[in-house]
Amino acid sequence: MSKALSASAPSHPPEAVASSFKYEFGGPWGALGIVVALPVVVMGLYYFCPNLMSSASLSSSSSKHPFSFKSSTSPLACLRWTDMAHFLTSTLPALLRALPSTFSTFASQARRSPHNTASAFMAIIQHIPGALKARGSALVALVQNELWDPLAFACIVAWFCFQIVLERLLPGEVALGVPLLGAEGLRLPYKLNGHLAFWISLLLLVHGCPRFAVPVEDEGILPTIVGEEGDEQFVYTASAAGDALLQHAGQAANGAIPVLGELTGFGPFPLEKLYDHFPQFAFAAVVFSFGLALLLYLASFRKGARLADGGRSGNVMYDFYMGRELNPRLGSFDWKYFCELRPGLIGWVVLNLGMLMKQQQLQAVTGEPPSWPLVLVNVFQGWYVLDALLNERAILTTMDITTDGFGFMLAFGDLAWVPFTYSLQARYLVGRPVSLSTYAVACLSAMHLVGYWIFRQANSTKDAFRRDPASVPHVRYMDTIRGTKLMVSGWWGWARKINYTGDWLMALAWCGLCGPTHVLPYFYAIYFGVLLVHRAARDDHLCSLKYGADWQKYKKEVKWLFLPGIY
């Protein structure tokens, strides 16, 4: 746990804080690099593993509706393992072999004609600004013509606000967080109703889209005629209902007054549009995350804001990335806790459902059911999210809540990174149905179940022990000078981060459902493995500071980090 400081009354002089501050993530330059790189990765995953066709051609009905959504084209094929192997075994070695001769030729030319070589070098330097300007213009054009969509942004904002309303109105137990050091044992209250928000959100998305009666002469409408001849009434079909709602929303966003007929019922929202317009929604989430992070940074300078240790370096970029304020709140509403589990995590499930609906739409012509791999991705990842929400209390003792400030790192991760990169497997499978043998499906399902068993059992034991060690009498522990206890038996006697092992096994199972052909569907397992190793290293460093010599004794008692006998 980190010692929280008050902005109005720091316990150390500013110069002492600046001189003793320990940077993470490569310091300010590393933070800047991450802030720039993360949006590039989110959008790059789409362009390097794109939808198979443009959004305009994916749906035969969408072309008949004048939506405000923009279409996107996807000229690149998804990167394959064979492509990467060819690059590593052929292209890269050839480039490395060519470097010595290239430098030798350049040096020889420079010795024979230094003036011409210098002139050529200066010509290259002078060409750089023009090239950068051209690339910048192309990027601006891409954003304006394809990525930025006011309707997509409005949907992201509406979803965020809807989750706030659910958090505020739904009933739920109020739990107290861990005592904040430096705040006289203050424990902040948190409302636990995430699982209710999950079910209400899904119920609304399946049954909450209004249908309106419209006259047949309205252009851009696909009506269904009901009633007897001579007494015709035109209502939307289930798919056209959502299309029309988006059309009217687009009209309102463009300043026009939408005309709605009589309300005739409710149906599902057109979640397949999440696939058709995925880059627009992803970019909208990126913009929203940047805006929220900026507001949080500015708000952290108000009087009385309680700062996180990691966010008080005094460097603007680093503090913006890490987050200055530990627990930004509006009354009893905690922004960090809310974003950790609600909009992005539930949004991940919604995106997956959109991918499933899109595949069902595409295969409706042939009468084929959705593919088993896509169904299992939805089931496994939906299960994972629901488990997190059912065990919402456990997050109150995690590093994200107790130690890290709420800045760009967590805001972007919660709202843009999680939903729009973790849904990659589902999006990949929409237009690339994978045929897996029964044996492969059984093995991957078993891997998920084993991973979940390890993950849930280990985390449940840890949470119960932190709340009351007497509730888990079978667990041995060692006392520390701080007065706290460290588990040294059971799951936590096998490895210090055994829960991470289970978490990663689930990730690998999800990726395996995409088959062995392409690389990028395995991005999640690769990235998540790196993240868990880095997070374990961060935690090890913080615990060594927290427990001192006791931590070294603990590491001798529990030798392994992830896998007993291996690592």
Side-chain angles (χ1 to χ4, degrees):
M1 185 183 302
S2 175
K3 185 177 180 181
L5 298 179
S6 170
S8 58
S11 59
H12 305 288
E15 59 274 10
V17 170
S19 62
S20 61
F21 191 84
K22 301 296 183 182
Y23 285 112
E24 297 182 87
F25 300 99
W29 286 106
L32 175 61
I34 295 173
V35 169
V36 172
L38 290 185
V40 173
V41 172
V42 170
M43 303 311 301
L45 285 175
Y46 172 79
Y47 287 102
F48 282 95
C49 191
N51 298 347
L52 293 184
M53 293 172 281
S54 68
S55 61
S57 62
L58 278 169
S59 173
S60 59
S61 64
S62 65
S63 60
K64 300 180 181 179
H65 296 273
F67 294 125
S68 294
F69 277 130
K70 296 178 181 177
S71 298
S72 57
T73 56
S74 305
L76 299 177
C78 194
L79 183 66
R80 297 172 299 179
W81 286 106
T82 53
D83 299 329
M84 178 173 286
H86 181 268
F87 174 78
L88 293 176
T89 60
S90 179
T91 306
L92 183 60
L95 290 174
L96 294 176
R97 286 194 299 268
L99 282 178
S101 62
T102 301
F103 283 121
S104 177
T105 301
F106 179 80
S108 177
Q109 179 66 28
R111 286 192 297 269
R112 289 197 305 267
S113 180
H115 177 72
N116 292 340
T117 303
S119 298
F121 182 74
M122 290 305 299
I124 294 174
I125 296 298
Q126 292 171 1
H127 179 70
I128 291 176
L132 291 177
K133 183 177 180 181
R135 294 294 183 184
S137 299
L139 180 60
V140 171
L142 174 66
V143 171
Q144 291 179 340
N145 300 330
E146 182 172 324
L147 296 181
W148 171 248
D149 190 315
L151 181 53
F153 185 77
C155 290
I156 293 295
V157 174
W159 173 254
F160 188 85
C161 294
F162 172 64
Q163 292 300 320
I164 291 179
V165 171
L166 292 182
E167 193 276 343
R168 292 286 84 188
L169 297 184
L170 291 177
E173 177 190 355
V174 176
L176 295 179
V178 299
L180 298 177
L181 291 181
E184 298 180 356
L186 174 66
R187 301 177 68 185
L188 298 176
Y190 297 91
K191 195 174 185 181
L192 309 180
N193 58 9
H195 66 288
L196 291 179
F198 175 86
W199 292 116
I200 294 296
S201 298
L202 295 188
L203 183 66
L204 179 69
L205 290 171
V206 173
H207 298 290
C209 183
R211 305 180 186 184
F212 300 95
V214 294
V216 70
E217 61 268 21
D218 277 12
E219 297 180 359
I221 302 301
L222 296 178
T224 296
I225 302 177
V226 298
E228 299 179 357
E229 184 178 355
D231 183 19
E232 296 179 344
Q233 181 187 19
F234 299 95
V235 298
Y236 294 126
T237 60
S239 61
D243 289 354
L245 185 66
L246 292 177
Q247 179 183 345
H248 293 312
Q251 292 171 354
N254 292 327
I257 300 176
V259 179
L260 299 178
E262 180 184 353
L263 179 66
T264 61
F266 294 88
F269 278 84
L271 297 182
E272 67 273 6
K273 299 300 178 186
L274 295 171
Y275 179 86
D276 294 347
H277 307 282
F278 186 88
Q280 287 79 34
F281 282 107
F283 187 75
V286 167
V287 173
F288 183 83
S289 301
F290 267 95
L292 178 62
L294 179 60
L295 290 176
L296 290 167
Y297 178 78
L298 296 176
S300 69
F301 288 95
R302 73 188 186 280
K303 183 178 180 181
R306 191 175 304 281
L307 304 186
D309 272 358
R312 55 184 182 87
S313 70
N315 181 277
V316 174
M317 175 52 63
Y318 186 81
D319 292 346
F320 168 78
Y321 171 72
M322 294 296 295
R324 295 185 79 246
E325 192 168 358
L326 182 61
N327 303 105
R329 288 193 161 214
L330 184 61
S332 62
F333 181 78
D334 191 291
W335 290 97
K336 180 170 66 171
Y337 177 74
F338 166 76
C339 290
E340 191 79 11
L341 289 178
R342 307 299 181 93
L345 213 59
I346 301 176
W348 173 16
V349 174
V350 174
L351 283 169
N352 282 356
L353 290 174
M355 307 303 123
L356 185 64
M357 291 179 67
K358 187 62 192 182
Q359 189 183 77
Q360 186 176 17
Q361 182 190 76
L362 292 173
Q363 297 183 175
V365 178
T366 61
E368 297 179 31
S371 66
W372 268 109
L374 182 53
V375 171
L376 288 177
V377 165
N378 270 266
V379 171
F380 290 163
Q381 294 184 351
W383 178 357
Y384 181 82
V385 170
L386 181 59
D387 175 83
L389 294 170
L390 288 172
N391 295 279
E392 193 173 3
R393 182 193 303 271
I395 200 175
L396 299 180
T397 58
T398 62
M399 182 188 300
D400 287 358
I401 300 298
T402 64
T403 304
D404 291 331
F406 191 35
F408 178 86
M409 179 176 70
L410 292 181
F412 187 90
D414 293 340
L415 304 178
W417 184 268
V418 166
F420 290 97
T421 65
Y422 289 16
S423 59
L424 177 58
Q425 292 79 39
R427 186 171 62 81
Y428 169 87
L429 288 168
V430 171
R432 303 175 181 86
V434 174
S435 179
L436 297 176
S437 67
T438 303
Y439 177 76
V441 171
C443 288
L444 291 170
S445 299
M447 181 184 295
H448 171 84
L449 291 173
V450 170
Y452 175 76
W453 177 59
I454 296 172
F455 173 80
R456 176 44 45 217
Q457 289 293 315
N459 279 330
S460 295
T461 300
K462 178 179 67 174
D463 185 53
F465 184 82
R466 283 177 171 176
R467 285 189 283 116
D468 181 13
S471 64
V472 281
H474 61 284
V475 174
R476 292 190 302 107
Y477 58 84
M478 60 171 282
D479 292 306
T480 66
I481 297 176
R482 288 175 53 91
T484 54
K485 300 174 175 60
L486 296 172
M487 292 180 288
V488 294
S489 71
W491 289 104
W492 297 98
W494 291 351
R496 300 192 299 276
K497 292 296 181 185
I498 191 68
N499 56 332
Y500 287 5
T501 303
D503 213 346
W504 189 78
L505 285 176
M506 286 189 285
L508 186 59
W510 305 340
C511 296
L513 289 168
C514 295
T517 304
H518 293 104
V519 179
L520 289 184
Y522 288 82
F523 168 81
Y524 176 66
I526 297 169
Y527 145 78
F528 199 48
V530 173
L531 173 71
L532 293 179
V533 170
H534 177 263
R535 193 176 182 89
R538 285 189 71 202
D539 190 57
D540 182 77
H541 173 70
L542 291 174
C543 287
S544 65
L545 297 177
K546 177 179 178 180
Y547 294 107
D550 285 335
W551 186 247
Q552 300 306 317
K553 295 178 183 177
Y554 167 72
K555 290 173 69 173
K556 290 180 181 179
E557 182 77 18
V558 184
K559 299 178 181 179
W560 305 105
L561 184 59
F562 295 118
L563 290 173
I566 299 176
Y567 181 45

